[in-house]
Amino acid sequence: MSRSDVRTNPKLFIGDKLRRGRIAAGFASQDALAAKLGFDRTVITKAEVGERVPSVEVLEAWCGACKLDLEMYADLAELARSADGPIPAWFEYWLERERTAHILRYWSPLIVPTLFETVEYRRAVLVADGNDPERAEELVKATLERQSVLNRVDPPEIIAVIHQDVLHKLIGSPEIMHDQLVHLAEMATRPNISIHIVPSSVGAVAGLSGSINIASADGEPDALHTDAVPEGHTTETSSLVRRAAVTFERVRRDALPVAQSRTMLLEEAEQWKTR
């Protein structure tokens, strides 16, 4: 890696700066800093080589341990995350974890999980969120790129739990809803994808306060992403991930099996077709 590469690549630049800060603070190895921070060594390694911009949580701990200027490094991190395209800087870390995961778990009480959204459904969500048409199209393209993980040679195992209310919520138009639910039913036929519907008749279930997204990959701690306005949050803190995983399992316990869920999706799609 040449100095010119470091100067022209924001991810390499912040990685190099963090490495120098680690060494200057007396942490001679990545293992030493990882042990101090309580993170897996791969979190340090991938940040320093420019493979992954550290999350806010990691960056705060790193700067604290090495006595670095957090405000400056936060600005560098935001620049590095935004260098690749229209994806918000705060979301980039989750997308990296999603891309490399071997197991993905989603709980969606409000809208269809983004990985399974059709173009028209996604566009309608983005426009409703206040994006102008040009910005919405940029984000639609980014969503399609994100969904490419579904077509990997070795796609991840995906378990998605969706509340039935999502199937009843008009997004865009009845035609868009029909096509979206048919698409979900088609996704459910893939051997690596399990889609479960929680019937509205169940009543109150765990996790109604918001979505849960958990990514698991070999050699890395599980990552949790939760949505919020205006910014979501991604964390690898084991206690938070564990609590989210427990909530996910409680929700899945109330959901229908895969075959019954797919039948419900197709029935609900037909209902939209007649409106």
Side-chain angles (χ1 to χ4, degrees), residues 17-257:
K17 295 281 285 184
L18 287 169
R19 180 184 64 82
R20 291 169 180 268
R22 167 179 61 80
I23 295 172
F27 296 99
S29 69
Q30 294 172 342
D31 286 307
L33 180 59
K36 172 67 175 179
L37 303 184
F39 295 118
D40 191 272
R41 183 181 63 82
T42 58
V43 174
I44 309 301
T45 302
K46 293 185 177 184
E48 291 191 351
V49 301
E51 184 176 334
R52 175 180 298 156
V53 180
S55 66
V56 172
E57 179 184 25
V58 171
L59 197 61
E60 288 178 349
W62 196 319
C63 289
C66 297
K67 295 180 171 53
L68 302 175
D69 185 338
L70 177 58
E71 184 176 355
M72 182 189 76
Y73 278 87
D75 288 342
L76 291 174
E78 184 173 356
L79 175 63
R81 292 191 192 99
S82 61
D84 293 334
I87 298 299
W90 56 266
F91 195 45
E92 182 61 35
Y93 187 72
W94 166 253
L95 293 185
E96 291 177 7
R97 295 304 312 272
E98 192 176 61
R99 281 193 292 266
T100 59
H102 67 270
I103 298 177
L104 291 166
R105 286 171 283 176
Y106 300 104
W107 156 236
S108 297
L110 299 175
I111 62 172
V112 171
T114 306
L115 277 192
F116 299 141
E117 289 179 343
T118 64
V119 169
E120 294 301 327
Y121 185 99
R122 185 60 183 160
R123 183 180 291 113
V125 169
L126 291 168
V127 170
D129 201 33
N131 293 283
D132 61 49
E134 183 176 353
R135 173 66 172 167
E137 289 308 312
E138 288 181 347
L139 292 173
V140 165
K141 290 179 182 178
T143 298
L144 292 175
E145 181 178 346
R146 180 181 174 186
Q147 291 175 348
S148 65
V149 69
L150 299 174
N151 299 314
R152 281 183 356 202
V153 175
D154 58 336
E157 189 74 18
I158 302 176
I159 306 166
V161 184
I162 304 171
H163 200 284
Q164 187 180 4
D165 288 357
V166 174
L167 315 185
H168 298 160
K169 187 177 298 178
L170 176 63
I171 302 293
S173 69
E175 182 180 3
I176 288 174
M177 289 303 303
H178 169 268
D179 293 346
Q180 175 62 76
L181 299 191
V182 169
H183 178 67
L184 273 175
E186 291 173 351
M187 288 289 101
T189 64
R190 297 192 181 190
N192 63 305
I193 296 176
S194 301
I195 296 178
H196 301 270
I197 306 299
V198 176
S200 301
S201 59
V202 171
V205 295
L208 285 179
S209 59
S211 63
I212 293 174
N213 310 277
I214 302 175
S216 303
D218 293 331
E220 297 197 50
D222 286 357
L224 164 69
H225 179 78
T226 52
D227 293 323
V229 177
E231 296 185 359
H233 179 64
T234 300
T235 181
E236 293 172 346
T237 300
S238 59
S239 60
L240 296 178
V241 176
R242 182 170 59 251
R243 286 166 57 189
V246 169
T247 298
F248 179 87
E249 291 304 324
R250 288 176 176 171
V251 172
R252 183 163 64 163
R253 182 177 60 197
D254 288 326
L256 296 174

